[in-house]
Amino acid sequence: MSLISQNVGSKNRVKRSNVDADEPAFLGVNNSNVDADEPAFLGVNKDDEGRIESDLVLSKTKKKRKERDELLEKQLEIEEAKEMNKLENLLFGSVEPDYEEDAELMKESDIEEERKAVWLDEEEEKTTINIAKVNRLRKLRKDEDESLISGSQYVSRLRAQHAKMNPGTDWARLDSQSRNDGLSDDELSDEENGIVLARGYKNDNAFDDILRTNEDLVVKSREKLLPGHLEYSRLVDANADDPSNGPINSVQFHRNAQLLLAAGLDRRLRFFQIDGKRNTKIQSIFIDDCPIRKASFLPDGSKVIIAGRRKFFYSFDLVKAKVDKIGPLVGREEKSLEVFEELIGTLKMNGTVRSLAFADDGQQLLSHGGDGQVYHWDLRTRACIHKAVDEGCIHGTALCTSPTRNLFAAGSDSGIVNIYNRDEFLGGKKKPIKTIENLTTKVDFLRFNNDSQILAICSQMKKNSLKLIHVPSFTVFSNWPPANSAIHYPRCLDFSPGGGFMAMGNAAGKVLLYKLHHYDHA
């Protein structure tokens, strides 16, 4: 099957031009009425001989020019025919393989891929080397009787011997086809876009790409975060698609790391798809009678609990997109349910509850409040198993537990944050392992990241009052908060499940989004 050529008209024009080219255009002669065999100079006077000679020169020049144009047109037609054949084979498949064309294409590709030397030594051909005389060069001989070879042969044999003795230099080959044979289409497209994918050690092709980027060669260990300087970058605001009209009181990443909720005093619960570029808004829920003080996903991620300074709270089902009002609770005297984790029963402590945190995969609950003590509750028996005073604390204001380390942090209204080892605290040791004194106003929020190497502490009463603590060394990152960009009054913060994103809500209604470069995944 072949496609119809689109150059029929051009061929006809070429034929007409050939006919005209064979007939010299002399002055005073109408060439259209002259036969091909009839002399073109009939009827010309002798006075016009000089002009005729000049016209002959011009006609020869035009003829050569037309012949050159014809040759170019023929070459173009041949190239167009080749392109048409390629297109036909691509669209409909080739009926018979064109071995000559394939061989020609392979020859052309080999010529293109051949790397030319930047500098050539002319003395190589003139120089002769005796490889039989030197013991360490005898391995370069092809025959036992061979002794003298030229300089160029000596260089090529040395290179061949080096490649034979060092087979581990395959990564330096420029042949990309051998590296791409074992990759899927998705991986190839990702590599074209500059995305480096993590592959398992069982895939040998993973080692071929190690020097294609310097990203994984200069970074620190992915397991250990170094103190002092935190590498991060500011991204598009998480709620840039729909900013809040009031302070943000809650931000939290869903367990899938792609969904982020943001809620505040404007009575709206918003969901955003976080990609760091557009952060598209997915949905917005308006709660008419409850300015939102706290909103949180359930552990399984199916629902969101919404609470404020009311005797009731709301539950939003993400699957059914349905809002249910729960309460007021019968027999309860609380006027506000703004501080919650998950209601499974009633636990009574001596002071007012200011903060709660789960531990041991939800089997224990820690509470902190107005009496300055930290309570440990066993949720299986709903009994207090331990309580002790937070050192130097009069009124407790914030509490959080680490997800991977056996640590918890307690903040107070004096701006002091104490970090404890939970096993030692339960064993009777009341001294904290570290006291953080970088805040001067009431501690309102504490949060560990996914691997417990970063602890965020903030106060809502002072601008830019947000510190990030390097937990292994218990030191503050010196380059945070950013010097050139104000984060306003921070109110809440959350890390993505993989640690790659950090979202911070402030009193201006913005959710600032940052990328932490130490972590590869969101």
Side-chain angles (χ1 to χ4, degrees):
M1 180 179 296
S2 60
L3 297 178
I4 298 175
S5 174
Q6 300 177 359
N7 299 313
V8 176
S10 61
K11 292 183 179 179
N12 295 333
R13 288 193 299 270
V14 171
K15 292 181 179 180
R16 288 196 298 268
S17 64
N18 293 339
V19 175
D20 297 336
D22 295 336
E23 297 178 4
F26 297 110
L27 293 175
V29 180
N30 187 2
N31 293 333
S32 61
N33 298 324
V34 180
D35 296 333
D37 298 331
E38 183 178 357
F41 54 84
L42 292 178
V44 179
N45 298 327
K46 294 182 179 181
D47 297 338
D48 298 332
E49 289 182 356
R51 298 176 60 186
I52 291 174
E53 290 179 358
S54 62
D55 291 339
L56 283 172
V57 174
L58 292 175
S59 64
K60 290 180 180 179
T61 304
K62 292 181 179 180
K63 186 176 182 179
K64 291 181 180 179
R65 188 178 302 170
K66 289 183 180 181
E67 290 177 352
R68 184 180 59 189
D69 294 341
E70 290 173 7
L71 181 60
L72 291 176
E73 288 187 5
K74 289 181 180 180
Q75 292 179 352
L76 290 176
E77 290 177 3
I78 294 173
E79 293 179 359
E80 289 178 0
K82 289 183 179 180
E83 294 295 331
M84 297 294 285
N85 291 334
K86 291 181 182 179
L87 182 59
E88 291 176 6
N89 295 335
L90 180 62
L91 295 177
F92 308 107
S94 59
V95 179
E96 295 181 358
D98 191 354
Y99 296 105
E100 295 181 357
E101 183 178 357
D102 293 341
E104 184 179 353
L105 292 175
M106 291 177 64
K107 185 177 180 180
E108 291 177 358
S109 62
D110 292 339
I111 294 174
E112 292 176 357
E113 292 181 358
E114 183 180 358
R115 301 181 66 191
K116 295 183 179 179
V118 178
W119 174 76
L120 295 176
D121 189 359
E122 298 178 355
E123 299 296 330
E124 284 185 358
E125 295 295 336
K126 302 178 182 179
T127 305
T128 57
I129 295 122
N130 191 340
I131 58 177
K133 186 177 181 179
V134 183
N135 291 335
R136 59 188 177 87
L137 297 182
R138 290 179 180 177
K139 63 175 74 72
L140 302 179
R141 295 181 299 175
K142 294 183 178 181
D143 297 325
E144 293 183 1
D145 299 333
E146 189 177 17
S147 59
L148 296 177
I149 60 174
S150 64
S152 60
Q153 291 177 337
Y154 177 70
V155 172
S156 62
R157 294 187 186 185
L158 281 179
R159 289 177 178 172
Q161 182 67 18
H162 174 76
K164 179 180 178 181
M165 301 299 296
N166 299 276
T169 56
D170 291 342
W171 53 264
R173 294 178 182 174
L174 294 179
D175 184 11
S176 60
Q177 183 64 31
S178 61
R179 288 196 298 263
N180 295 338
D181 287 342
L183 302 179
S184 63
D185 294 340
D186 294 337
E187 290 174 331
L188 288 174
S189 62
D190 287 338
E191 288 187 354
E192 290 174 358
N193 294 331
I195 301 173
V196 180
L197 301 179
R199 304 184 183 93
Y201 289 104
K202 295 182 179 180
N203 187 0
D204 295 335
N205 292 327
F207 299 100
D208 296 340
D209 299 331
I210 187 171
L211 293 182
R212 299 181 68 182
T213 173
N214 65 349
E215 180 178 358
D216 293 332
L217 294 178
V218 298
V219 295
K220 285 74 64 179
S221 171
R222 289 303 178 190
E223 296 180 357
K224 185 177 180 181
L225 177 65
L226 299 181
H229 189 86
L230 181 65
E231 295 183 0
Y232 66 90
S233 59
R234 173 78 181 274
L235 303 178
V236 178
D237 290 349
N239 65 340
D241 212 6
D242 186 12
S244 176
N245 295 325
I248 301 293
N249 287 329
S250 288
V251 292
Q252 186 182 7
F253 283 92
H254 191 269
R255 58 187 297 180
N256 66 6
Q258 298 180 356
L259 187 66
L260 176 75
L261 70 80
L265 296 182
D266 65 346
R267 305 180 185 184
R268 288 191 177 274
L269 174 67
R270 297 175 175 87
F271 296 94
F272 300 91
Q273 183 178 357
I274 301 301
D275 57 8
K277 298 179 180 179
R278 297 185 59 185
N279 304 327
T280 307
K281 186 184 78 170
I282 298 177
Q283 193 172 8
S284 177
I285 308 298
F286 181 71
I287 308 297
D288 185 37
D289 56 349
C290 183
I292 302 174
R293 293 282 175 173
K294 185 172 183 179
S296 178
F297 289 107
L298 290 183
D300 61 357
S302 61
K303 295 182 180 180
V304 177
I305 303 300
I306 308 164
R309 290 181 178 175
R310 300 289 188 271
K311 293 183 179 181
F312 52 86
F313 61 95
Y314 288 90
S315 173
F316 175 68
D317 192 319
L318 273 70
V319 178
K320 300 179 181 179
K322 182 181 179 182
V323 179
D324 295 322
K325 183 177 181 179
I326 303 174
L329 302 179
V330 179
R332 307 289 303 195
E333 299 179 356
E334 291 87 358
K335 296 182 179 179
S336 175
L337 298 175
E338 61 183 286
V339 178
F340 68 87
E341 287 298 324
E342 185 177 0
L343 183 62
I344 61 173
T346 302
L347 305 174
K348 181 67 176 177
M349 58 181 284
N350 296 331
T352 56
V353 181
R354 294 300 181 189
S355 59
L356 301 169
F358 282 110
D360 288 346
D361 296 328
Q363 296 183 7
Q364 292 189 11
L365 179 69
L366 280 69
S367 62
H368 198 23
D371 59 353
Q373 297 190 83
V374 178
Y375 292 75
H376 278 72
W377 306 86
D378 189 338
L379 297 181
R380 292 166 293 185
T381 60
R382 300 184 187 180
C384 179
I385 59 177
H386 184 269
K387 70 175 181 178
V389 176
D390 180 19
E391 185 180 70
C393 175
I394 300 177
H395 301 289
T397 57
L399 186 70
C400 72
T401 57
S402 63
T404 58
R405 299 169 183 260
N406 199 19
L407 304 174
F408 74 90
S412 64
D413 56 357
S414 61
I416 301 297
V417 177
N418 290 327
I419 302 177
Y420 295 90
N421 184 295
R422 200 161 57 85
D423 289 338
E424 295 177 355
F425 189 79
L426 292 174
K429 184 180 179 180
K430 300 180 181 180
K431 188 77 174 176
I433 58 179
K434 184 63 178 180
T435 298
I436 308 296
E437 301 178 349
N438 293 87
L439 299 182
T440 57
T441 54
K442 182 185 71 170
V443 180
D444 293 296
F445 193 83
L446 300 171
R447 178 76 73 189
F448 283 97
N449 75 328
N450 64 312
D451 60 358
S452 304
Q453 294 195 80
I454 301 177
L455 172 64
I457 62 177
C458 78
S459 174
Q460 302 176 1
M461 301 178 66
K462 189 177 180 180
K463 275 189 175 182
N464 301 332
S465 185
L466 172 63
K467 301 293 183 181
L468 297 180
I469 311 298
H470 180 255
V471 175
S473 64
F474 297 111
T475 57
V476 178
F477 286 105
S478 60
N479 62 329
W480 184 271
N484 298 329
S485 59
I487 59 177
H488 206 260
Y489 292 92
R491 297 183 66 86
C492 53
L493 180 143
D494 193 29
F495 297 94
S496 61
F501 290 132
M502 180 180 69
M504 190 274 297
N506 60 22
K510 296 183 178 180
V511 179
L512 308 183
L513 186 65
Y514 296 89
K515 176 70 175 71
L516 304 183
H517 298 301
H518 177 78
Y519 300 94
D520 291 330
H521 306 289

